[in-house]
Amino acid sequence: MLDEKIGFIGGGNMAFAIGSGLINRGIIKTDQVLVSGPTLEHLQRWRDLGVATTNDNNQVVDKMDTIFICVKPHILKPCAEELKRNHRPSSKDKDKVFVSVLAGVNLKDLEASFSFIDNLKMIRCMPNTPMQVSEGCTVYSSGSHVVEHDLEKVHIMLNSLGIAQHIPESMINAVSGLSGCGPAFVYTIIEALADGAVKMVFPGKWLYNLLYKWSWVPQKLLW
């Protein structure tokens, strides 16, 4: 179990997969997590887990030790600008670690967007939603101020939800297509096979065993 305070700026599917996965695995407790989003109604599933929520992103930055940036890529700029306007510099800033899950946004742009944080420690990662059932595949790359201890903490979190690997940033986009988007095509094929079997009036139990029980795709994600 980690004693880190974990924050999520953005509480969508990817954030929930990581956060709920860490909680379900016992890596962190619910009272170690704070999630922000523009509307609290959309964060209800977090509250159902017992996690605190807020619509103030600055609370996440100010109070948490590791902050996952889980907004859509086109929201990054206005989100960073809003944080910059309201950020209160603290001696604790140098110890915070920021982890971006934004597809296609490189470390250079991430560090520029959050340059108002002194000695910014930024890690870029590409996870996938099977993390929610501990079957994730994640790669990550580190920014200029990240030290070994920071990488160890983040690796424990990501690797506990499947497998994780530190790689050069030049490889991340390729892995994004392979493990981030690629499985969606496999899901489509499996769904089509299931639809065809139903059309041919196969028994449901037999169909389940054939397509899901023996499949590498996590069952819980498919149902």
Side-chain angles (χ1 to χ4, degrees), residues 35-72:
V35 184
S36 65
T39 54
L40 294 180
E41 308 91 80
H42 295 159
L43 301 177
Q44 183 59 49
R45 59 181 172 174
W46 288 96
R47 290 193 292 277
D48 291 341
L49 280 178
V51 171
T53 61
T54 177
N55 56 12
D56 183 356
N57 293 334
N58 278 92
Q59 284 191 32
V60 177
V61 174
D62 291 343
K63 296 180 179 180
M64 300 293 105
D65 304 313
T66 300
I67 299 101
F68 283 85
I69 306 167
C70 302
V71 299
K72 300 292 185 183

Side-chain angles (χ1 to χ4, degrees), residues 23-145:
I23 292 168
N24 292 335
R25 284 296 304 272
I27 307 300
I28 55 175
K29 297 179 180 179
T30 55
D31 61 6
Q32 293 173 245
V33 184
L34 178 62
V35 184
S36 65
T39 54
L40 294 180
E41 308 91 80
H42 295 159
L43 301 177
Q44 183 59 49
R45 59 181 172 174
W46 288 96
R47 290 193 292 277
D48 291 341
L49 280 178
V51 171
T53 61
T54 177
N55 56 12
D56 183 356
N57 293 334
N58 278 92
Q59 284 191 32
V60 177
V61 174
D62 291 343
K63 296 180 179 180
M64 300 293 105
D65 304 313
T66 300
I67 299 101
F68 283 85
I69 306 167
C70 302
V71 299
K72 300 292 185 183
H74 68 279
I75 302 295
L76 174 62
K77 185 176 180 179
C79 175
E81 289 176 347
E82 181 263 335
L83 285 168
K84 182 178 180 179
R85 284 195 302 270
N86 299 293
H87 180 64
R88 297 181 294 275
S90 165
S91 59
K92 295 181 180 180
D93 284 353
K94 61 182 176 61
D95 298 320
K96 297 180 184 294
V97 178
F98 292 78
V99 183
S100 167
V101 304
L102 277 65
V105 182
N106 60 38
L107 281 168
K108 180 180 178 181
D109 291 339
L110 289 166
E111 290 178 337
S113 296
F114 286 82
S115 60
F116 58 91
I117 302 288
D118 290 337
N119 197 42
L120 175 68
K121 296 180 178 182
M122 180 67 71
I123 293 175
R124 177 187 176 190
C125 80
M126 179 45 57
N128 57 15
T129 53
M131 296 178 84
Q132 191 170 350
V133 291
S134 303
E135 295 289 346
C137 179
T138 307
V139 294
Y140 59 96
S141 300
S142 51
S144 54
H145 295 293

Side-chain angles (χ1 to χ4, degrees), residues 197-198 200-209:
V198 170
M200 299 304 292
V201 201
F202 276 107
K205 183 177 180 181
W206 184 90
L207 175 63
Y208 171 82
N209 286 335

